[in-house]
Amino acid sequence: MIFTIDVGNTNIKVAVFEQVDLVEKFVFQKKDLENNFEKILKKYSNCTIAVLSSVGKLDEIDILWLKKHLNLLEISHASAFPFQNLYGTPKTLGVDRMVLAAGAVLLYPNQNILIVDAGTCVTYDFVTDKKEYLGGAISPGLRLRYESLHNFTAKLPLLSKKQPENFIGNNTEEAIHSGVVNGLRYEIEGFVSEYSVKNEQFTIILTGGDANFLANRLKSVIFADENFLLKSLQQLYTYSLQND
């Protein structure tokens, strides 16, 4: 068994894997790491290995606590990855995006792949069938779009994500939902369309916290898996053992 740990901007996601099968997933805030992990370790006392990637800064005391209780592999820019990184500024590329690209290469070999991670930000990452990471794009996620409308205007309310009932919103709240949700929907479809101009065939992976919310509204043929980063960590751990 192995734990995979994804440290985000707000929350930590932990998955328990039995070989390649995801057994259980836990989500909690970063400030609650020790208390929650103690419970997880009691339930899975035979699991002593963990692999971690972090886009949100984790306190050193938490890292030390994990290392005390687990054989911890931290993924960093110095880790072994199964692709050639052609990003212009490789040291500024988020480790989470590198992990997603690694998972795509390992799980979908010899394919052109576009990974769309719909979380706090929406990231687009493209890997060629020759295992070349080219880069992509970054834009605000759903929550940031709702918050920006509220924070940078005088009267617009702060709303939680909701599927718009109508394309034409007939009140302020419905207009916001239509603008935010449909706006992101058309953005994703637009990126897919642009990539298809130069790549006749490619696989699209939609992941992140808003993946399931968005998947049914997209016309593109995609693989929607909100746990793809956690699965990618499991794949990358195996790859690291073989290429250490």
Side-chain angles (χ1 to χ4, degrees):
M1 280 189 144
I2 180 176
F3 296 122
T4 62
I5 307 170
D6 169 25
V7 181
N9 290 299
T10 304
N11 292 328
I12 294 176
K13 298 176 183 177
V14 179
V16 184
F17 281 88
E18 180 70 59
Q19 296 184 350
V20 297
D21 296 323
L22 197 160
V23 177
E24 190 170 4
K25 185 176 81 169
F26 305 87
V27 181
F28 48 86
Q29 293 186 342
K30 288 193 289 185
K31 63 182 181 65
D32 300 324
L33 181 144
E34 186 173 332
N35 288 335
N36 281 280
F37 234 108
E38 284 181 345
K39 296 176 184 177
I40 296 171
L41 288 171
K42 285 182 180 178
K43 185 171 184 179
Y44 295 98
S45 58
N46 61 329
C47 186
T48 60
I49 300 171
V51 54
L52 176 148
S53 74
S54 176
V55 65
K57 183 175 176 58
L58 195 61
D59 291 339
E60 185 63 25
I61 190 172
D62 289 325
I63 294 290
L64 292 174
W65 189 92
L66 288 171
K67 288 182 176 179
K68 179 181 177 181
H69 294 83
L70 293 162
N71 181 4
L72 181 68
L73 172 64
E74 294 181 72
I75 302 299
S76 70
H77 290 90
S79 300
F81 288 92
F83 57 83
Q84 182 182 4
N85 192 344
L86 300 182
Y87 203 57
T89 55
K91 292 185 179 180
T92 70
L93 181 60
V95 171
D96 58 326
R97 296 174 69 185
M98 297 176 71
V99 170
L100 288 170
V105 168
L106 294 170
L107 289 166
Y108 299 93
N110 305 315
Q111 298 184 42
N112 295 311
I113 308 164
L114 174 64
I115 310 115
V116 183
D117 184 7
T120 302
C121 293
V122 181
T123 58
Y124 302 83
D125 295 287
F126 194 79
V127 187
T128 72
D129 56 0
K130 297 178 181 179
K131 300 181 181 179
E132 298 170 327
Y133 175 86
L134 303 184
I138 305 172
S139 72
L142 285 175
R143 182 171 63 84
L144 287 181
R145 296 177 191 224
Y146 279 112
E147 289 180 351
S148 65
L149 288 175
H150 173 69
N151 292 334
F152 295 101
T153 61
K155 296 182 179 180
L156 292 181
L158 178 60
L159 304 179
S160 298
K161 66 182 179 184
K162 174 187 173 185
Q163 295 287 3
E165 296 180 7
N166 300 292
F167 179 77
I168 300 176
N170 63 0
N171 58 58
T172 299
E173 291 194 2
E174 284 301 317
I176 291 173
H177 289 307
S178 180
V180 169
V181 176
N182 288 320
L184 182 53
R185 167 192 164 197
Y186 292 134
E187 176 189 300
I188 295 173
E189 293 284 4
F191 272 101
V192 170
S193 178
E194 284 295 318
Y195 278 105
S196 66
V197 172
K198 293 185 178 181
N199 304 275
E200 292 184 3
Q201 292 185 338
F202 61 98
T203 299
I204 306 165
I205 300 169
L206 177 65
T207 189
D210 290 325
N212 292 338
F213 179 84
L214 292 166
N216 292 334
R217 299 192 65 82
L218 296 173
K219 296 178 181 178
S220 304
V221 178
I222 60 173
F223 294 101
D225 185 351
E226 66 177 1
N227 298 317
F228 191 72
L229 193 145
L230 294 167
K231 293 178 180 178
S232 296
L233 282 170
Q234 186 276 331
Q235 290 288 316
L236 191 53
Y237 176 78
T238 301
Y239 176 84
S240 298
L241 292 180
Q242 297 169 349
N243 294 270
D244 190 5

